[in-house]
Amino acid sequence: MSKKMLSWLLVGTMVGLLTSFVCPIAVQGKTTLTFIGQTGPRYGFAVKGVADAYMKLNPDVDVVIESYPWEEWATKIALDVAGGGGAYDIIWIDYKYIGGYADAGYLLPLDAYLLQDSEFWQDIQSDIYDVVLGMYKYKDQWWAIPHDGNSQVFYYRQDVLDDAGVKVPTSWEEVFAVAPKIHNPPSFYAAGANLKRFWAADVWYAPFMSAGGYFWDENYVPAIDTPAGVEAAELLLKLTKFCPPDAIGWAEADLYEAMGTAGVVGMAPNQWAGNVLTNPEAAKLANKIGVALPPSFRGKRVLPMGGYGLGINTKSYYKDQAWDFIKFYTGRENQQLLVAHTGQPARISALTDPVNVAKSRYFSVLAKSLEYAIPRPVIAEFSLVENIVGVELNKMMLGEKTPAEAVRDANTEVYKVMQGRIEQSQK
Amino acid sequence: MSGERSKKLPWLMLVPAIAVLLVLGVFPLIYSAWLSLHSYSLLDPSRGINYVGGENFLNTLTSGHPLGISFPKSLWLTLIYLGGCLAGEVGIGLLAAMLFSGEHRRGLRSLRILMMMPMLLAPVVVGNIWRYMYQYSFGLLNFLLRTVGLPAPEWLARPTWAMISLIMADVWEWIPFSFLVLLAAILSIPQDQWEAANIDGAGAWQRFRYIMLPWTKHAFLVIILIRGIDLIRVMDLPYVITYGGPAVSTSVLPFNAYMLGFRYFEIGHAAAYAYLMLALINVFVILFINVLRRRPENA
Amino acid sequence: MHKEWKNRVIRIVLVLSYVFFFAVYLFPLAWVGLTAVKPTELIMSSPPVFRFQPILEHFIRLQTEWKFYGRVLNSLIISSGTTFISVGLGIVTAFALSRYNFRGKTFIPIWFLSNRFLPAVAVVLPLFLMFQKFRLVDTYIVVILANLIPTLPFSIWLLYGFLNDIPRELDDAARVDGCGNLMVLWKILLPIAAPSIAVTAIFAFIFSWNEFFIPLVLTRSRVVPVTVAFAGFKQQFRFDWGGMSAAAMVCLVPLFLMVTVLHKHVVRGMTLGAVKG
C-alpha cells in the first residue's frame, strides 16, 4: 500500500507543479474593462445591473467587475497604487482618496473628455448638486464623475412612534425629549447607532459641525477640542444611553440588522442603507420604516457628506472605452436601470423621478438632505483623523475618559497627523 | 558514505527549500527592514518614500500614535489573549482526549472526524459565526442564556467580555488540534505502564501525575509552540469579531500591525511594528526550543 | 454484583458526557448547517426559528450571485499545489537534516521553522511588489508559492521530527544490502513514514486552504480562492448569512472527505510525531 501511495504522491507533485505554472489566458480580440468596486446592494448589484445592459449593447466589450467589502476594496486600490497601477481600468473611488491618488498620478484627469463631450458635461453639471460634484474637483481638474450622492438621512420606526403618540423629532433637543417615552428595553431601544471606531466619529460630525465646529482652521491646525467638539461628544454619550449596550461594537450592517430585529426605534442619522431598509425585498420591516431629515442641533442643520465617483486609471489600456462606460453609467437615460438594481444615483432628476421614488422612497428625503450637506475634508490624512477621533470617542463611551478629555486627546493626536500639512501651509 | 560526496549531497538536498524560503521570506524581510526606516504613506504616495531613521521604532515604542494604544499595553493584551487561548485549548483538549481514550471506544473514529470540523473552517467563517452568536439583543448565546434564566452578558461591549469572547471563539476553533495531538500521545502510552500502576495501587491523581504528564509533556510543548506562534502572528479572529474594540481593549499586536499597514496605509510604520513583533516571537520561540531541547538530556 | 453495577453507572455517565460534549461543541456548526437551508427572511428572526421548510436556494445563489464554485476549484488547485510542493520539498529537506552531518546542523532546522514566524503584514507588500514586477500577480503559481511561507517550514519541521524517530539501524541494515543513500530514503524511510507524510499533507492542505491575507493581496479576479470570496458576504449594509453558511458547508466537503480518507494515517502519524518529535 505504501508503494502505491508514494507513486501517487510523486505523480501528484508533478501535476501540482504543472498546474501551478498554467496561468489563465485572457480572451483575445475583446476589450476587457476591469472595474473595481464594492460589493452588495447600492454598490456591486447596481454595477452589475448596468454593466450587463452595457455589454448587451456593446458585445465586443467585456466588463469584468471585481467587488469587495469596503476594507478589502481600499486595500486593493492602495496595492495597485503601490505597484504602479494598471490593474484596473475603471475605479469606483471614495471622494476622500481623490487628492492623494490624483497627486500620485494614479487617476486620469477627465478634463479632456469633458471638453469633448460638452453636452454630457453640461447635463451633469445642471443635474447634480455643486457640493456633490465639487468633491471630485481637485487642483482645478476633474478626477471622477459622481454616480452616487450621499448625505445623512434619519430612519425610524413609524409604527412605534405612532403607538407612543409622538411626532418625528426635528432637532437633537427634541430627540432627547422624546427618547424616554419610547425607550423600553429590552423590547424597544429609543436609539441605535453604529459606534465601532471611526463609525462613532461619523455620528459625531453632524452635531459638531452644526454647533459651529470644523476639524481645523485654514492652516490645518486642528480645532477638535473646541466647545463644539465637547458638546457633540456629550451628545453622543447621552445618545448611547438609549442604544443597545453593544452598539459600541457595531458597524453599519449590525445596526440595520438590529433595526430589523432588536427593537431599535430611531437610527442615529447616517448616510447609508436606505436602499436596504426601505426595500421590502431586503428588510421585513421596510414598510414600517419612516424617513426624515436628520435633526438639527442648536438651531442649525449641517450634514457632512461623502460619496463615490467613477474614475479612470492613468495606466489603463482602454481609457476611451472606460470613459464610454462611465458616460453610460452616469447618463440620464440609465438612471432608472441603476435604481432598479438597488443603485443610489447622484442626479437630482433621478432622485426625484417618480418611478425611482416608488422603488426607493428615501430618495426624496435624500435629495432634500443634500441641500444641507457640506463635504467632509478630502485630504489624504482624513481617514486617519476619523479613526483617531472614533477611538477616543469609544474610550469615552467605555467611561475611560470624559467628553472633554476624549476630544482633547483626539486633538493632540490629530495634530501629529497634520504636522506636515501645517508646516507646508505656514510657509 | 565517502567524505567528499557526503559533504555536498546534504547541501544539494537543502538548497531548493533554502532558495524558496530565501526568495519568499528573507527577501521581503530585507525589503521590510528598509521600509521600516522610511515614512511611506499609500494614501498620499506623492509625498514619496522618505528616510526617517529610527523614528518609526521610537514612535511605536513610546507613543502608540496613531493607534490609540501603546505597544507595551497591546503586548499585555496579547499576552492575556495568548494565555487564555492556550489554557483553554490545552485544558479542554486534554479533557476531551482523556474522555475519548477511555475504554469505551465504539464509534470513536467517526466522533474524532466530527471533532475535527471546527478546525477545517476558515477563521473568517469561524469569526463571523461567533460574532453573530455574541450579539447582545438577538444573538443566539444570549437567547439561550435568557431561556435558561441566566443573565445575558454584553459580550462585545465590555472590555473584559470582549476578550473572553475572542478567547472562546479561538479555543472553539483550535480544540481539535490539541485534542488530536494529545489523544495520540495518550494512546501511545504503553499498556504496561497502566498495568504497573494498577499493581502498585496508584490513585487517579498519581496516574495522572506520574504516567500521563511525563508521556504527554512533549505533545503539550508542540501545541503551545505552534499555537503560540500563530496567536501572536495572525489577526483573523480579532479582526472579524471585535475589530480591536470596544475602543482598543482587544487591539492585539497583529491587529495593530494590520491597521497600520492596511487601514492607515502607513507602510513604513507598519514594517517597524511588524519587526518588533517578530523580535518578540523569536524570544518566545527560543525560550520554547530550549525547553524542548532539554528533555532528551533528562530522559 | 455491586462492582458490575458501579461499572454500568460509570459507563452511562461516560456516554452522557460524550453526548453533552458533542452537543455543546458542535452546536455552532449545526447552527451554520441549519442557516444554510433556512429561508432568508427567517435567518435573522428573534427568537431563533428551528422549524421551517428547508430550501436549497442559498446553494444555487452561490453560483448565480457569487460564482462561488469556481472559487472552490481555485482553492483546490492552490491548496493541492502548495501541499505537494511543501511535502515533496519537505521530505527531501527533512531527510538531509536528519540523516547527514554538516555544519550548521543545529541552526538550519530552526532557521527553517523561523520562516513560519513572519507576520503576514511584513511580507505581503514586498511580495506583491516583487511579483507585480514580473506581471505575475493573480496567477496560480504566485499564490501557491506565497502560501509556502507558512506551510513549507511547518512541513519540514514535522517531517524532520518524524524521520528522526525512525531508528538509524534500519538505514544501516539497508546499506549492508547495498542500497545508496537515496535508495534508503525511497525504499526504507518513506514507506515507514507514510502515515506521518499523510499528517503533514493534511495540515499543509488545511493551512493553505484557510490562508486569507496572502491570497487577498496576491489575487485579483481570476484565481481568487474561497477565503477571499468569503469576505464578500460581509457587505456594508447587510450580511448575507444564508450565502455564507452555504459557502461554509460547501468548503467543508473537500476537507471533510480528505480527513475521512486519511484519518487512520493521521492518528498513527500523530502518535509518532507528538510523542517523540
Side-chain angles (χ1 to χ4, degrees):
Chain A
M1 103 82 217
S2 37
K3 269 259 171 73
K4 204 165 144 202
M5 190 175 148
L6 286 172
S7 6
W8 274 111
L9 191 73
L10 264 187
V11 172
T13 315
M14 286 160 112
V15 172
L17 280 168
L18 279 178
T19 47
S20 64
F21 279 102
V22 177
C23 313
I25 298 149
V27 186
Q28 296 295 312
K30 243 185 163 187
T31 304
T32 308
L33 286 177
T34 311
F35 184 107
I36 173 117
Q38 281 175 257
T39 154
R42 187 175 136 196
Y43 302 148
F45 294 177
V47 178
K48 188 171 182 299
V50 178
D52 284 347
Y54 184 79
M55 285 191 280
K56 214 170 263 173
L57 285 174
N58 303 276
D60 56 328
V61 179
D62 198 13
V63 183
V64 177
I65 303 164
E66 281 186 41
S67 50
Y68 299 92
W70 200 92
E71 275 93 354
E72 284 79 18
W73 160 82
T75 306
K76 290 278 178 183
I77 295 186
L79 282 170
D80 195 32
V81 174
Y88 313 109
D89 301 295
I90 305 166
I91 294 150
W92 165 296
I93 187 119
D94 201 326
Y95 72 96
K96 64 183 156 201
Y97 294 151
I98 295 281
Y101 291 163
D103 280 342
Y106 181 71
L107 291 172
L108 184 77
L110 300 177
D111 296 64
Y113 287 119
L114 296 176
L115 218 59
Q116 170 197 317
D117 287 305
S118 56
E119 205 175 308
F120 166 79
W121 180 226
Q122 270 161 21
D123 185 38
I124 287 275
Q125 281 178 310
S126 66
D127 205 15
I128 295 182
Y129 284 115
D130 285 345
V131 278
V132 179
L133 205 53
M135 291 192 294
Y136 307 94
K137 190 178 186 180
Y138 177 75
K139 293 192 175 165
D140 283 327
Q141 280 181 305
W142 295 94
W143 303 93
I145 302 295
H147 58 83
D148 182 300
N150 205 11
S151 181
Q152 295 191 333
V153 169
F154 177 39
Y155 301 102
Y156 59 93
R157 284 277 296 276
Q158 186 73 60
D159 55 330
V160 182
L161 289 199
D162 288 347
D163 289 347
V166 207
K167 270 206 300 196
V168 186
T170 57
S171 69
W172 279 107
E173 291 81 0
E174 275 178 47
V175 167
F176 289 114
V178 162
K181 295 182 197 162
I182 311 164
H183 194 58
N184 182 25
S187 35
F188 287 114
Y189 292 92
N194 40 338
L195 298 172
K196 176 160 88 176
R197 294 222 167 196
F198 64 84
W199 284 279
D202 221 278
V203 183
W204 172 84
Y205 299 148
F208 171 57
M209 293 187 180
S210 298
Y214 195 68
F215 297 93
W216 33 69
D217 64 11
E218 62 279 7
N219 288 323
Y220 293 105
V221 177
I224 292 168
D225 59 350
T226 49
V230 181
E231 272 177 51
E234 279 164 354
L235 184 146
L236 200 59
L237 191 60
K238 218 156 120 192
L239 186 71
T240 52
K241 303 268 187 299
F242 295 104
C243 292
D246 54 347
I248 191 173
W250 283 356
E252 301 99 316
D254 304 303
L255 176 57
Y256 309 134
E257 284 175 2
M259 188 110 184
T261 52
V264 166
V265 178
M267 183 184 288
N270 67 29
Q271 46 271 68
W272 302 296
N275 41 11
V276 172
L277 276 177
T278 62
N279 179 0
E281 288 159 32
K284 248 191 303 181
L285 292 165
N287 295 323
K288 296 175 181 167
I289 303 280
V291 191
L293 274 181
S296 62
F297 185 52
R298 303 245 175 269
K300 259 184 87 183
R301 182 180 283 124
V302 178
L303 305 175
M305 58 175 275
Y308 295 103
L310 297 179
I312 300 175
N313 188 336
T314 321
K315 291 278 176 65
S316 164
Y317 287 116
Y318 303 114
K319 294 187 188 88
D320 294 347
Q321 289 88 335
W323 172 248
D324 194 55
F325 179 78
I326 293 177
K327 265 196 320 186
F328 183 85
Y329 196 96
T330 53
R332 195 180 273 266
E333 59 283 2
N334 292 315
Q335 298 303 301
Q336 284 190 2
L337 181 68
L338 184 78
V339 174
H341 288 92
T342 71
Q344 176 180 305
R347 282 170 176 269
I348 303 163
S349 65
L351 286 173
T352 49
D353 179 350
V355 178
N356 291 345
V357 174
K359 165 89 184 159
S360 297
R361 62 197 161 83
Y362 71 103
F363 280 0
S364 46
V365 180
L366 176 65
K368 215 191 248 166
S369 156
L370 280 167
E371 294 171 19
Y372 297 93
I374 62 162
R376 288 179 277 176
V378 294
I379 54 174
E381 289 91 336
F382 185 64
S383 60
L384 253 87
V385 171
E386 53 184 1
N387 272 294
I388 287 170
V389 174
V391 166
E392 294 301 325
L393 289 174
N394 275 179
K395 287 179 183 168
M396 170 192 80
M397 290 166 201
L398 287 180
E400 292 172 9
K401 286 179 181 175
T402 66
E405 284 167 358
V407 167
R408 184 199 63 206
D409 292 350
N411 205 65
T412 319
E413 293 287 294
V414 169
Y415 191 91
K416 289 183 195 161
V417 174
M418 302 304 295
Q419 213 153 19
R421 220 169 258 274
I422 294 170
E423 281 159 18
Q424 219 171 35
S425 72
Q426 277 167 348
K427 254 173 212 169
Chain B
M1 290 199 258
S2 59
E4 266 310 292
R5 214 174 136 245
S6 74
K7 252 181 206 158
K8 270 187 195 155
L9 193 63
W11 285 105
L12 270 179
M13 291 183 189
L14 291 177
V15 157
I18 291 178
V20 165
L21 289 176
L22 273 180
V23 173
L24 296 172
V26 177
F27 160 72
L29 213 58
I30 292 170
Y31 188 87
S32 274
W34 179 79
L35 272 179
S36 73
L37 300 174
H38 293 73
S39 85
Y40 180 30
S41 162
L42 278 186
L43 285 178
D44 199 359
S46 61
R47 269 191 283 159
I49 308 180
N50 307 309
Y51 179 76
V52 293
E55 199 181 285
N56 287 328
F57 288 94
L58 204 70
N59 204 353
T60 303
L61 286 172
T62 54
S63 79
H65 170 81
L67 294 162
I69 181 167
S70 66
F71 191 85
K73 209 170 160 213
S74 179
L75 174 63
W76 174 237
L77 290 176
T78 312
L79 288 179
I80 295 174
Y81 178 52
L82 186 77
C85 290
L86 287 180
E89 281 162 32
V90 170
I92 301 179
L94 181 66
L95 262 176
M98 277 156 64
L99 205 64
F100 281 84
S101 65
E103 279 172 48
H104 190 83
R105 290 197 199 166
R106 236 181 316 162
L108 191 61
R109 183 189 138 94
S110 45
L111 285 183
R112 264 199 301 238
I113 294 174
L114 276 179
M115 182 91 194
M116 273 187 82
M117 299 241 280
M119 194 173 72
L120 305 183
L121 289 172
V124 189
V125 178
V126 173
N128 277 316
I129 296 171
W130 282 88
R131 188 175 152 64
Y132 178 38
M133 297 202 299
Y134 284 139
Q135 295 296 330
Y136 175 76
S137 313
F138 54 93
L140 201 60
L141 275 179
N142 278 358
F143 167 75
L144 292 176
L145 287 174
R146 287 191 190 110
T147 317
V148 188
L150 290 169
E154 297 160 3
W155 290 102
L156 300 177
R158 295 277 161 263
T160 319
W161 280 112
M163 186 54 91
I164 293 172
S165 308
L166 268 191
I167 292 172
M168 271 171 59
D170 190 87
V171 167
W172 182 78
E173 187 184 4
W174 290 104
I175 282 175
F177 182 70
S178 60
F179 164 72
L180 282 180
V181 175
L182 285 170
L183 181 67
I186 291 175
L187 289 181
S188 73
I189 300 175
Q191 206 55 43
D192 54 3
Q193 295 270 330
W194 297 118
E195 281 158 15
N198 263 346
I199 292 166
D200 294 345
W205 166 248
Q206 281 159 324
R207 286 160 176 240
F208 180 76
R209 173 70 186 79
Y210 294 105
I211 301 179
M212 194 80 104
L213 274 191
W215 278 87
T216 52
K217 187 179 151 203
H218 188 80
F220 278 119
L221 294 178
V222 169
I223 295 166
I224 291 173
L225 185 65
I226 296 276
R227 287 299 305 142
I229 292 174
D230 276 2
L231 282 168
I232 305 180
R233 195 180 65 96
V234 177
M235 55 91 191
D236 301 36
L237 283 187
Y239 174 67
V240 175
I241 297 179
T242 62
Y243 207 70
V248 288
S249 50
T250 55
S251 295
V252 289
L253 292 172
F255 175 78
N256 283 341
Y258 165 82
M259 286 297 275
L260 275 179
F262 291 91
R263 203 86 313 277
Y264 303 160
F265 295 110
E266 300 268 338
I267 300 299
H269 196 165
Y273 207 91
Y275 253 89
L276 289 172
M277 272 166 63
L278 194 58
L280 276 171
I281 298 177
N282 275 313
V283 170
F284 174 80
V285 169
I286 287 168
L287 274 176
F288 262 89
I289 298 243
N290 278 337
V291 178
L292 277 178
R293 280 256 177 80
R294 213 176 297 145
R295 193 199 160 235
E297 292 158 22
N298 292 352
Chain C
M1 189 63 208
H2 177 68
K3 201 173 181 192
E4 202 171 286
W5 188 77
K6 197 178 155 195
N7 272 347
R8 198 167 290 169
V9 170
I10 288 179
R11 184 155 288 192
I12 290 172
V13 169
L14 262 181
V15 169
L16 280 180
S17 47
Y18 283 147
V19 171
F20 179 75
F21 189 81
F22 268 96
V24 171
Y25 187 64
L26 292 180
F27 178 73
L29 208 63
W31 182 244
V32 177
L34 212 62
T35 309
V37 292
K38 220 183 231 188
T40 310
E41 63 271 18
L42 294 180
I43 289 178
M44 287 306 296
S45 58
S46 160
V49 182
F50 289 93
R51 295 179 63 184
F52 53 85
Q53 184 70 39
I55 53 157
L56 287 178
E57 188 207 315
H58 299 306
F59 290 91
I60 298 161
R61 238 164 20 90
L62 280 186
Q63 188 54 26
T64 54
E65 235 174 75
W66 301 103
K67 300 197 186 98
F68 191 78
Y69 296 101
R71 312 296 200 216
V72 177
L73 191 69
N74 286 340
S75 265
L76 279 175
I77 293 173
I78 291 168
S79 303
S80 327
T82 308
T83 307
F84 283 125
I85 295 177
S86 65
V87 172
L89 273 182
I91 290 173
V92 177
T93 314
F95 177 65
L97 288 178
S98 89
R99 288 301 192 264
Y100 289 92
N101 279 317
F102 50 87
R103 263 207 290 175
K105 192 174 156 71
T106 48
F107 166 71
I108 287 189
I110 295 176
W111 180 76
F112 275 127
L113 184 64
S114 75
N115 277 284
R116 196 182 154 74
F117 313 158
L118 301 180
V121 179
V123 290
V124 285
L125 186 77
L127 274 184
F128 172 84
L129 293 178
M130 179 170 84
F131 290 134
Q132 173 79 6
K133 274 266 169 343
F134 301 113
R135 299 270 146 206
L136 278 174
V137 171
D138 205 18
T139 57
Y140 287 121
I141 177 69
V142 154
V143 187
I144 289 175
L145 285 177
N147 274 353
L148 285 177
I149 301 172
T151 51
L152 181 58
F154 180 77
S155 306
I156 291 175
W157 197 64
L158 261 190
L159 287 166
Y160 176 54
F162 290 141
L163 289 187
N164 263 349
D165 280 349
I166 300 174
R168 264 142 244 249
E169 292 79 44
L170 286 176
D171 307 24
D172 297 338
R175 282 212 190 80
V176 171
D177 292 347
C179 283
N181 285 318
L182 289 177
M183 281 306 265
V184 171
L185 173 65
W186 177 248
K187 278 204 160 153
I188 310 290
L189 296 184
L190 286 194
I192 298 176
S196 355
I197 294 171
V199 178
T200 316
I202 285 187
F203 278 119
F205 198 91
I206 293 176
F207 284 140
S208 169
W209 183 275
N210 285 343
E211 188 62 52
F212 170 68
F213 205 56
I214 291 174
L216 173 72
V217 171
L218 293 178
T219 64
R220 289 201 181 111
S221 58
R222 287 176 297 185
V223 301
V224 177
V226 286
T227 40
V228 178
F230 264 120
F233 294 111
K234 188 195 81 188
Q235 299 154 3
Q236 195 176 359
F237 308 131
R238 55 159 219 192
F239 205 118
D240 190 349
W241 286 106
M244 198 205 73
S245 307
M249 288 293 123
V250 170
C251 285
L252 264 182
V253 172
L255 293 180
F256 187 72
L257 284 178
M258 190 183 68
V259 169
T260 314
V261 171
L262 294 177
H263 176 255
K264 211 166 56 190
H265 297 298
V266 175
V267 175
R268 266 179 64 202
M270 281 285 182
T271 319
L272 266 177
V275 186
K276 290 151 201 144

